Amino acid sequence: MAIRIETRGDVLRRTGKVMVIAAGMTAVMSFTIGMLVFGRDLAAPITVGQMQLFGLTAGVFISIALSGAMSYRAGLLMLELAHTRRELAQISQTDQLTGLLNRRGFDTEAAAALDQAQADGASVAVLMCDIDHFKSINDRYGHEIGDRVLVEIADVLRQFAIRHGALVARYGGEEFAAVVTGLSHEQTAHGAEEIRRDCAARTILDGVTQLPVTISIGFTLKNSGFDLGNLMRTADQALYAAKRHGRDRVEHARDAA
């Protein structure tokens, strides 16, 4: 059974376990090599040459065996640590409710996507999406239904990402973000309308009635000179325009500051 390393006492126990194993291996190997060198007759005379051969053989083989065993164990621990680090990194960048990237993960991957788009000479579009009247949904139907709304909207964004090779995230609260490269302004507007229509087509069942859900979207597109912060701010301004103009609509800003 593996010893969990959580306290100084665990370290001492693990060290003791390793020492016991090493001592046991040394004893077994020493006895085996001694039998091969000296034979099974415990009363037989031993020459200096035999002792030298025993010492050399035992030292070499025991050293190799222990080094190999400890190195293998250390390698397993390093592999486990690498897996754990990857899992923690993924958790830290993923929204646990929807399975989409969270803001931290989005910012990291979006920056890489912008660099690649710049290298490829491709356009970049940023979409900001916000669920309409989400606070009212939570207040009226409860947070369980609110969570189901978030999951449904996240699924719409996920399908959009699959169709268009986009990067999507739950950016915070009821707000979602997307980055898509290589599309024209018209294609981006069409994609945003796809998201809006697909969200409006989703209905959340609360056990009694069907709850319609709508979303407002603002987007911006640039062909070069990408700055994620500026693109996000410009798309956010377009989103607020969509909210002001009645919600359940798409607004766009052609140029990012």
Side-chain angles (χ1 to χ4, degrees):
M1 182 177 179
I3 298 176
R4 297 180 62 182
I5 307 298
E6 296 178 347
T7 66
R8 187 181 296 272
D10 293 335
V11 174
L12 293 174
R13 281 190 291 274
R14 184 181 183 282
T15 301
K17 180 179 178 181
V18 171
M19 292 175 65
V20 169
I21 292 173
M25 291 178 63
T26 301
V28 170
M29 293 190 69
S30 296
F31 178 79
T32 302
I33 294 171
M35 294 292 290
L36 293 173
V37 173
F38 303 126
R40 297 186 178 184
D41 185 359
L42 300 181
I46 301 174
T47 66
V48 173
Q50 287 177 313
M51 284 299 298
Q52 290 175 334
L53 177 62
F54 169 74
L56 178 62
T57 304
V60 170
F61 278 94
I62 292 174
S63 176
I64 292 173
L66 289 179
S67 297
M70 294 303 102
S71 178
Y72 179 73
R73 175 58 179 167
L76 289 179
L77 291 174
M78 291 174 65
L79 180 62
E80 182 179 350
L81 179 60
H83 286 322
T84 301
R85 285 177 173 171
R86 281 196 294 270
E87 290 174 0
L88 290 175
Q90 183 177 8
I91 291 172
S92 71
Q93 296 188 349
T94 303
D95 176 61
Q96 298 304 298
L97 176 63
T98 64
L100 299 182
L101 292 171
N102 59 20
R103 182 167 183 168
R104 174 187 294 180
F106 177 82
D107 287 346
T108 299
E109 296 202 18
L114 265 60
D115 289 342
Q116 187 62 53
Q118 185 71 48
D120 295 341
S123 63
V124 169
V126 171
L127 294 79
M128 295 296 291
C129 315
D130 191 83
I131 301 173
D132 296 326
H133 305 294
F134 185 71
K135 183 178 184 303
S136 298
I137 293 172
N138 269 334
D139 292 343
R140 181 175 180 181
Y141 296 98
H143 289 282
E144 182 179 353
I145 296 298
D147 286 348
R148 290 172 63 182
V149 169
L150 291 168
V151 170
E152 289 289 330
I153 299 305
D155 187 59
V156 171
L157 270 294
R158 188 178 291 108
Q159 296 304 316
F160 171 81
I162 292 172
R163 290 194 301 271
H164 298 283
L167 183 68
V168 298
R170 182 184 176 193
Y171 204 64
E174 69 272 24
E175 195 169 53
F176 295 82
V179 167
V180 59
T181 62
L183 299 185
S184 67
H185 185 274
E186 291 71 21
Q187 289 171 326
T188 304
H190 180 73
E193 280 292 340
E194 283 181 1
I195 296 173
R196 187 197 64 78
R197 288 196 306 267
D198 290 348
C199 288
R202 298 284 179 114
T203 53
I204 312 301
L205 301 178
D206 69 346
V208 179
T209 60
Q210 289 187 331
L211 172 64
V213 178
T214 62
I215 193 167
S216 298
I217 302 173
F219 77 88
T220 187
L221 182 142
K222 285 198 76 175
N223 292 312
S224 62
F226 309 127
D227 180 271
L228 182 60
N230 285 340
L231 287 166
M232 297 295 290
R233 283 189 292 272
T234 305
D236 209 36
Q237 290 168 6
L239 170 62
Y240 283 121
K243 292 284 190 180
R244 289 195 305 270
H245 294 160
R247 295 182 171 86
D248 188 22
R249 60 184 292 122
V250 175
E251 292 281 351
H252 63 88
R254 287 183 180 270
D255 297 312

